[in-house]
Amino acid sequence: MKLKHLSAALLLCLAAPLAQSDPLPADSETSSLGLAVNYQNSPVNLTEVLGYPIGSKISSPAAIYEAFQALESAHPQQVEIVHYGQTWEGRPLYYVAISNAENTNNLTEFRDGMRALANPQETSANEAEKLIAELPSSIWLSYGVHGNEISSPEAALLTAWHLLAAADTATQQWLDNTIVFIDPVQNPDGRARFVSRYYMTAGMEHSSDRISAEHNEPWPSGRSNHYLFDLNRDWLALTQPEVAGQVDALLDTYPLIFVDLHEMGGDQSYYFTPEARPYNPLIAKSQRESLWRIGENNGRWFDEHGYDYFTREIFDAFYPGYGASWPLYHGTLAMTYEMASARGHKFRTKDGTILTYGDGVQRHFVASLATIETASRERKRLLENFWNYRQQAIADGKASDERFIYIDAKRDRAGVHRLAGLLTQHGVNVQQSNQAFSACGSDFAAGSLVIDSAQPAHYMIRTLLDEQVNMAQDFLDEQERLRANNLPDQIYDVTAWSLPLMFNLPQQRCQRAPRTDLQVASSATLVPGELTNADAKVGFLATWGDMNGARLLAAALREGLSVKQSDLAFTLKSGERYPAGSLIFTRADNDSSLVEQLTELAAETGATISGVDSSWIVDGPNFGSNNVQQVHAPRIAMAWDEPFSSLNAGHTRFVIERQLGYPVTAIRAAQLRRADLSQYQVLLLPASYGNIADALGEDGANNLKGWVERGGVLITMGTSSAWAVQNDLLASALESANKDAQVEVHKEARVDGLLLESTEHLHDYINGATTDPYWTSGVITKLNVDQEHWLTAGVPKNVNSITVGNQIFRPLTINKGRNLLTYASADEVLASGYLWAENKQQLAHKPYLMWQPRGRGMVISFTQEPTYRAYLDGLTITLANAIFAGASHARPLR
């Protein structure tokens, strides 16, 4: 068959029923790609299953699921659907395994073989050689992680149907030695949101106009999941079921190739591997060479079809928290593909071409087949490279002077348990000590983590725990050159992501193995707590300073328990010391079921609760002091909808609801103009990517001012804090970029002559205008903590945060409020990542968290997002203080 027949076949796949009764030409001739188009093997008529020809309508997640179930029913020997969870909205999460009957029926043996090959510590070289000779190749194709990137899930269905229906020799050869894993819809909730809203806007004819409602989604877009997470950024924290479940599945199968298929702006063409610079230094040379070969073969397929494409210009391989990056650090090849998006049925590009939904389905289909071909053709080399990667990981760990990593459980047991469980979920072998011990010249408490990096997951350990991963110096030099000439830099995402830094858990490393009794850490991120001295006469106490205490407070308030919280540390007569923020439950203030309730809550929240027989305090406030507050269950509202950032709104709501365990009421921004907020004690304004002033107006600002002055607690985050400044709710100010050179820039149409004496003089002049500080892509910064305030109760003297963007605030003066978290000095402020030199200087000692009382209420402003991607666990206690302690310290008229 000639190439033109192949193209016609593909078009037929997209425009006409795919049924055995209407087959494509049955000749056996193949194109130079080795692909025949004799579709005679499948009894499934996808048009009948879907109710329309594939590619003619944007299929819902339910329709795609039904179609895959039909394929499984029709080909039970070749197809197996494996469920790995469900979304927050209850939709199924699953992948589909497709191969020949022998491979599909032996999936269990395949998984066992890949896990053996992944573990050189227990698998000998001879055993590995046998496995490499016998195991099939494997490829994992993941589609639709962003719900409004619409064409790839339909391409997943077309790819599966092709593998089962095609009768050509090439396809059969692929299936004989390759297992194809397909995750058709990684984000069903987001896709369902997009499909529903898109067809609500469609009229008699679909519009190709980019300004039409069809091409402009309402807030929030379908990109994110139920909690509005960009799932392609959740591969480090694993907070969402869609990603956590897929990671479990990947560690169960260890596919040799992983492809994440996306969409990008409609005016572009198609992107595939190799990636742009910078490269993460932990990616092996053999992986980069293999990625090049995959890209080259994709290019050959695209050339055959006359499809434009590009590589290496954007979408770098540095940040490891993408789906197309994470598998690399276990030895799998991983990459992203991006198709120009019609974002509907059709889209008019800038050059006047009409891009259709079918175009996207077709190109993703072709790219999928091209990569399957590479997986099949390079079976042995891929298996050998995987085995060698895992072997080299162990060797590099053994050779390292920092082989053993220790993380102390003394200060934050909840954080340590969460980190241990998270690392285990990432496929890392983690151990915990059963008693206190010494190592690396330091003392460690019982329960501390010990991680031997001489294991197959060595590079994943490095990826997750290293405090600094450097970009190549020549790349950084180029970025400095670009921005010096007012050109955009090429840094695509954050440049820092170390979990211990973001959890605020110090780590120590050395070559020496621990001398202590260890046990394998659990994958559970929460270890049940307990109540001791249940017969205590006076009441019960719980320390404050970690997530266990915060969860306990939230749960106790929801249960209706009476709880007090101390602003200051105190010491009991028995000598036990309790930090500021500690919780007090007295028998006198609660009913007879207190012990039973607290016992249950300790188990659920991980908190340790201790009974006390006396309230006598030898140091610090007594339980009846004005420095001990009664905590009332606050009602929390959050601004929702335009112009607020859906990501920050979702991250914040998730942290409060799913990590703290307390409900939040979402209120649309327009309602805040005149809404009666008297029933709410706390209002959160997430960061904004639009103009809050336009949304709230003067009426909204006055409404919130009045509510605060009557006793409300207004919490602002990131760019919303700038709105608070602009509306006289916060006595700070936004800073322009600091300019060393004092050059007066012209403001009139005609000015006196100016002699430019050098290139440097020219540079000073063109950069002399008042501008914002240069944008920071994302770094981890060190913060100093004022510990003499209830808002920082339980917070250590130094914490870390992600800093993104270009907003720098002036400190509050002492007569206006307090600057409770401030950036460290210029030489210490950068904890990890790459930060422009002038930003280091200007950020130094500036506020991160400000508190300003207003009337009977207060404004609490974070200058960044403390809930960024929900992986700043070390800052969550500060947010809990802002919500619960803020509400208890306000003075509303009751």
Side-chain angles (χ1 to χ4, degrees):
M1 173 179 292
K2 303 302 182 184
L3 182 61
K4 63 181 182 180
H5 294 144
L6 176 60
S7 298
L10 292 173
L11 290 171
L12 183 59
C13 289
L14 297 169
L18 300 177
Q20 188 174 5
S21 59
D22 185 20
L24 301 175
D27 54 293
S28 59
E29 184 182 356
T30 63
S31 74
S32 61
L33 297 175
L35 177 64
V37 289
N38 184 355
Y39 291 107
Q40 293 186 338
N41 287 348
S42 180
V44 176
N45 184 328
L46 287 180
T47 300
E48 292 181 359
V49 174
L50 294 172
Y52 46 84
I54 189 168
S56 67
K57 184 178 178 181
I58 306 167
S59 297
S60 69
I64 292 173
Y65 184 48
E66 182 180 357
F68 273 101
Q69 288 178 310
L71 291 176
E72 183 184 43
S73 296
H75 301 272
Q77 296 301 311
Q78 287 188 264
V79 181
E80 182 175 318
I81 296 176
V82 181
H83 292 84
Y84 60 78
Q86 66 177 21
T87 69
W88 294 109
E89 296 176 14
R91 294 184 175 87
L93 296 167
Y94 61 97
Y95 68 87
V96 184
I98 299 176
S99 191
N100 68 11
E102 180 181 359
N103 290 333
T104 302
N105 289 331
N106 291 320
L107 278 176
T108 299
E109 290 77 6
F110 166 79
R111 294 186 182 103
D112 290 343
M114 286 305 300
R115 287 196 294 267
L117 199 65
N119 189 8
Q121 289 172 314
E122 296 184 5
T123 302
S124 69
N126 288 337
E127 291 170 327
E129 185 176 352
K130 183 178 179 182
L131 287 168
I132 290 169
E134 296 175 351
L135 282 171
S137 185
S138 55
I139 179 172
W140 187 289
L141 300 168
S142 275
Y143 303 83
V145 70
H146 297 138
N148 61 359
E149 296 179 1
I150 49 178
S151 60
S152 71
E154 208 100 30
L157 183 55
L158 183 57
T159 300
W161 186 89
H162 168 87
L163 293 174
L164 297 167
D168 64 291
T169 302
T171 303
Q172 297 310 307
Q173 288 175 342
W174 298 348
L175 297 180
D176 285 345
N177 79 340
T178 305
I179 300 175
V180 180
F181 297 103
I182 293 176
D183 190 328
V185 189
Q186 297 179 73
N187 181 6
D189 291 353
R191 184 176 180 87
R193 186 187 313 132
F194 174 88
V195 171
S196 171
R197 291 178 170 188
Y198 176 79
Y199 284 111
M200 287 175 62
T201 67
M204 186 178 197
E205 292 184 356
H206 289 280
S207 174
S208 63
D209 191 341
R210 68 182 67 211
I211 69 170
S212 69
E214 289 178 53
H215 295 286
N216 291 276
E217 299 174 72
W219 190 103
S221 72
R223 179 181 178 90
S224 51
N225 75 338
H226 172 80
Y227 269 105
L228 309 187
F229 275 67
D230 181 335
L231 294 176
N232 201 36
R233 305 308 194 272
D234 193 48
W235 286 73
L236 296 183
L238 305 184
T239 65
Q240 303 303 297
E242 296 91 341
V243 176
Q246 193 171 177
V247 163
D248 288 344
L250 290 171
L251 291 174
D252 190 45
T253 54
Y254 286 107
L256 299 171
I257 295 176
F258 178 99
V259 185
D260 207 9
L261 293 98
H262 292 254
E263 287 185 342
M264 55 187 170
D267 293 309
Q268 302 184 76
S269 58
Y270 197 99
Y271 165 88
F272 47 72
T273 192
E275 288 68 29
R277 296 188 71 202
Y279 308 119
N280 192 301
L282 296 175
I283 299 173
K285 180 181 178 182
S286 63
Q287 290 177 308
R288 288 177 55 186
E289 290 172 346
S290 293
L291 290 169
W292 186 279
R293 288 194 299 274
I294 289 172
E296 191 171 10
N297 191 51
N298 288 354
R300 187 169 65 87
W301 278 66
F302 272 55
D303 286 345
E304 284 276 352
H305 290 78
Y307 297 158
D308 288 337
Y309 66 90
F310 68 98
T311 67
R312 295 171 288 105
E313 294 179 41
I314 53 176
F315 309 120
D316 66 48
F318 185 67
Y319 177 58
Y322 307 127
S325 299
W326 182 90
L328 285 162
Y329 307 98
H330 273 302
T332 291
L333 297 178
M335 64 215 76
T336 188
Y337 294 172
E338 300 267 356
M339 169 63 198
S341 180
R343 281 295 193 275
H345 279 235
K346 55 184 179 179
F347 175 80
R348 183 181 297 276
T349 67
K350 286 190 289 189
D351 65 5
T353 302
I354 299 298
L355 179 70
T356 69
Y357 176 58
D359 291 333
V361 175
Q362 186 175 7
R363 283 158 179 75
H364 272 321
F365 168 61
V366 170
S368 298
L369 295 189
T371 317
I372 292 169
E373 180 185 67
T374 304
S376 173
R377 186 176 62 207
E378 301 218 350
R379 183 199 70 83
K380 184 177 181 181
R381 175 156 49 183
L382 290 170
L383 286 164
E384 288 175 340
N385 286 349
F386 178 78
W387 164 254
N388 291 335
Y389 183 96
R390 306 287 286 188
Q391 278 191 308
Q392 189 62 47
I394 299 170
D396 285 356
K398 289 180 178 178
S400 173
D401 292 335
E402 298 181 341
R403 171 175 174 173
F404 291 94
I405 303 169
Y406 299 90
I407 298 176
D408 192 15
K410 190 178 304 176
R411 191 195 65 79
D412 186 354
R413 300 186 70 85
V416 166
H417 285 308
R418 163 114 165 89
L419 182 60
L422 183 56
L423 291 174
T424 302
Q425 291 171 24
H426 277 288
V428 175
N429 296 321
V430 183
Q431 294 181 300
Q432 282 189 287
S433 63
N434 292 320
Q435 66 271 321
F437 67 98
S438 296
C440 297
S442 299
D443 295 327
F444 295 89
S448 294
L449 306 187
V450 180
I451 303 154
D452 182 357
S453 68
Q455 59 174 283
H458 170 80
Y459 300 118
M460 182 60 72
I461 293 169
R462 294 279 312 278
T463 297
L464 299 172
L465 301 185
D466 279 9
E467 293 190 351
Q468 178 68 27
V469 178
N470 291 318
M471 291 178 276
Q473 188 58 51
D474 66 325
F475 174 81
L476 294 176
D477 292 342
E478 174 64 6
Q479 307 320 299
E480 295 288 0
R481 185 194 69 80
L482 288 171
R483 71 190 194 95
N485 287 279
N486 200 29
L487 296 171
D489 67 75
Q490 298 166 318
I491 298 175
Y492 188 72
D493 208 290
V494 298
T495 60
W497 52 81
S498 170
L499 290 180
L501 286 177
M502 294 191 296
F503 281 39
N504 212 50
L505 295 172
Q507 58 175 307
Q508 288 185 270
R509 303 185 180 197
C510 62
Q511 236 271 335
R512 182 173 299 177
R515 296 180 179 179
T516 186
D517 184 27
L518 300 172
Q519 64 180 14
V520 176
S522 167
S523 61
T525 55
L526 187 153
V527 176
E530 62 178 356
L531 181 142
T532 60
N533 191 17
D535 297 327
K537 298 176 183 178
V538 173
F540 301 89
L541 305 178
T543 59
W544 187 255
D546 66 12
M547 284 290 288
N548 291 342
R551 282 190 291 262
L552 173 62
L553 175 58
L557 293 174
R558 294 192 71 195
E559 288 290 318
L561 296 183
S562 176
V563 54
K564 297 176 182 178
Q565 190 170 27
S566 178
D567 290 346
L568 304 173
F570 60 88
T571 304
L572 300 176
K573 181 181 180 180
S574 61
E576 293 176 86
R577 183 74 172 172
Y578 282 82
S582 291
L583 306 178
I584 304 165
F585 303 87
T586 62
R587 286 188 180 273
D589 292 330
N590 289 280
D591 61 31
S592 59
S593 64
L594 178 63
V595 172
E596 180 182 350
Q597 288 178 290
L598 288 180
T599 300
E600 185 175 334
L601 292 180
E604 292 175 356
T605 65
T608 297
I609 306 172
S610 303
V612 291
D613 294 307
S614 171
S615 66
W616 187 252
I617 304 298
V618 298
D619 180 59
N622 295 96
F623 296 171
S625 166
N626 284 338
N627 286 311
V628 175
Q629 311 297 324
Q630 181 74 39
V631 185
H632 299 281
R635 294 197 64 181
I636 305 171
M638 176 186 290
W640 206 247
D641 213 335
E642 295 283 1
F644 295 98
S645 160
S646 63
L647 293 176
N648 186 226
H651 298 163
T652 303
R653 192 176 194 181
F654 172 81
V655 168
I656 297 170
E657 290 195 341
R658 298 297 175 176
Q659 293 186 339
L660 293 179
Y662 204 84
V664 175
T665 299
I667 299 178
R668 298 198 184 278
Q671 297 292 322
L672 295 176
R673 284 177 174 264
R674 296 180 180 85
D676 178 5
L677 298 173
S678 59
Q679 62 181 315
Y680 296 98
Q681 290 71 51
V682 177
L683 172 64
L684 293 116
L685 298 186
S688 169
Y689 295 138
N691 192 325
I692 301 178
D694 288 346
L696 298 185
E698 186 177 348
D699 289 343
N702 290 334
N703 191 29
L704 295 192
K705 286 179 187 176
W707 172 78
V708 170
E709 288 170 356
R710 291 189 296 272
V713 178
L714 179 66
I715 301 174
T716 64
M717 296 185 178
T719 49
S720 291
S721 297
W723 174 85
V725 169
Q726 294 158 359
N727 286 273
D728 299 323
L729 278 158
L730 185 67
S732 178
L734 276 174
E735 294 188 353
S736 298
N738 180 44
K739 302 290 186 182
D740 293 331
Q742 300 299 316
V743 178
E744 185 175 342
V745 180
H746 71 272
K747 299 179 181 178
E748 305 296 333
R750 187 175 183 88
V751 296
D752 294 336
L754 171 67
L755 298 179
L756 294 174
E757 300 168 359
S758 64
T759 302
E760 290 73 18
H761 193 182
L762 170 63
H763 183 272
D764 290 343
Y765 181 83
I766 64 178
N767 286 280
T770 299
T771 59
D772 292 331
Y774 195 83
W775 186 273
T776 297
S777 295
V779 296
I780 300 179
T781 44
K782 183 178 179 181
L783 308 174
N784 296 327
V785 180
D786 176 354
Q787 294 182 300
E788 296 186 304
H789 195 276
W790 51 262
L791 192 48
T792 56
V795 182
K797 64 180 182 180
N798 299 113
V799 293
N800 301 307
S801 177
I802 293 284
T803 293
V804 179
N806 60 357
Q807 289 198 154
I808 300 176
F809 289 76
R810 285 285 174 89
L812 295 175
T813 57
I814 195 67
N815 62 320
K816 296 295 185 180
R818 298 277 289 274
N819 307 289
L820 296 169
L821 271 64
T822 56
Y823 287 96
S825 61
D827 59 340
E828 294 183 339
V829 67
L830 181 62
S832 181
Y834 187 75
L835 181 61
W836 316 112
E838 69 271 21
N839 286 13
K840 289 182 186 179
Q841 297 294 326
Q842 194 168 349
L843 274 174
H845 308 297
K846 299 295 170 55
Y848 180 93
L849 174 62
M850 294 176 278
W851 169 80
Q852 182 172 333
R854 287 188 64 96
R856 306 184 72 86
M858 66 191 71
V859 177
I860 299 173
S861 292
F862 294 87
T863 63
Q864 291 283 324
E865 300 172 19
T867 55
Y868 187 79
R869 296 182 181 172
Y871 55 29
L872 289 172
D873 285 44
L875 280 177
T876 303
I877 197 68
T878 310
L879 178 61
N881 284 341
I883 293 170
F884 299 112
S888 67
H889 281 81
R891 298 175 294 110
L893 295 173
R894 298 188 186 278

